[in-house]
Amino acid sequence: MDVHEILAACDHTLLQQTAMWEEIRGLLDDAIKYQTASVCIPPCYVAQAKEYAGDRMRICTVIGFPNGNMTTEAKVFETKDAVAKGADEIDMVINIGRLKAGEYDAVLAEIRAIREACNCRILKVIIETCLLTEEEKIKMCEIVTESGADFIKTSTGFSTGGATFADVELFRKHVGPNVKIKAAGGIATLEDAAQFLELGASRLGTSRVVKLVKAAE
């Protein structure tokens, strides 16, 4: 797979707690140079990033990150605020505890509420696969499909594990045709990135791919 195809699928990501604006600006410069799909950054930098990048790069941010167990009202407010500040894409974390308790209607209702708050922006639903059973992953494929969200996403990258090939294959079997797949967390090589795409992912959440391409240059 051509490296430009891989880069075009990457959400070039920096979400560490210590991230400073200078680093976010550098992330944007690299994303624009290498033509990634977007940058994925903390909500506090969305307005600055949008002003700096304009239409040169899509701005993605995270909602309910990384644990997902905020109230729905808080997540909806966070989403509306991000959209108002210029976010083009929203990656939200589900309430994992409610999923494990079998409160499927509540999980679905929250995703739908955030989808409405997105105001037609792309919505990706992070289900944190490393904390779920296979049955729970399949159930989330069904819920995300029903919700009308655009993507199901494997991981935050802040828990006990990241994306796996097996999870992307499982998603591909169980999501509806309206749902795309984002693999995120622990994508360490260009070969791994290419394999995730070949297995059915449309987006990759990673900070390493651009770094690998720069190092190779």
Side-chain angles (χ1 to χ4, degrees), residues 87-164:
D88 301 295
E89 304 186 6
I90 298 293
D91 288 17
M92 64 159 286
V93 186
I94 64 163
N95 190 312
I96 298 163
R98 294 206 185 280
L99 171 66
K100 288 189 168 293
E103 298 176 31
Y104 305 133
D105 289 345
V107 176
L108 174 60
E110 179 171 271
I111 297 170
R112 282 178 165 167
I114 293 171
R115 177 174 172 257
E116 183 176 354
C118 282
N119 195 22
C120 299
R121 272 68 172 181
I122 287 175
L123 175 62
K124 311 186 199 94
V125 180
I126 308 170
I127 71 168
E128 203 70 285
T129 48
C130 62
L131 302 181
L132 305 185
T133 65
E134 184 164 323
E135 291 75 17
E136 289 164 344
K137 295 172 193 177
I138 292 170
K139 187 63 184 179
M140 280 311 307
C141 287
E142 297 169 359
I143 289 173
V144 173
T145 299
E146 187 177 353
S147 75
D150 300 283
F151 281 80
I152 187 169
K153 177 179 170 181
T154 58
S155 319
T156 62
F158 281 71
S159 189
T160 58
T164 68

Side-chain angles (χ1 to χ4, degrees), residues 44-116:
C44 66
Y45 294 118
V46 167
Q48 278 177 284
K50 194 64 177 177
E51 182 178 3
Y52 180 77
D55 294 330
R56 296 181 295 161
M57 181 52 52
R58 296 181 65 80
I59 308 300
C60 173
T61 195
V62 288
I63 301 299
F65 195 86
N67 295 323
N69 51 5
M70 304 75 179
T71 65
T72 296
E73 292 80 4
K75 289 179 178 177
V76 166
F77 176 85
E78 198 175 7
T79 303
K80 289 180 178 178
D81 184 58
V83 168
K85 286 179 167 58
D88 301 295
E89 304 186 6
I90 298 293
D91 288 17
M92 64 159 286
V93 186
I94 64 163
N95 190 312
I96 298 163
R98 294 206 185 280
L99 171 66
K100 288 189 168 293
E103 298 176 31
Y104 305 133
D105 289 345
V107 176
L108 174 60
E110 179 171 271
I111 297 170
R112 282 178 165 167
I114 293 171
R115 177 174 172 257
E116 183 176 354

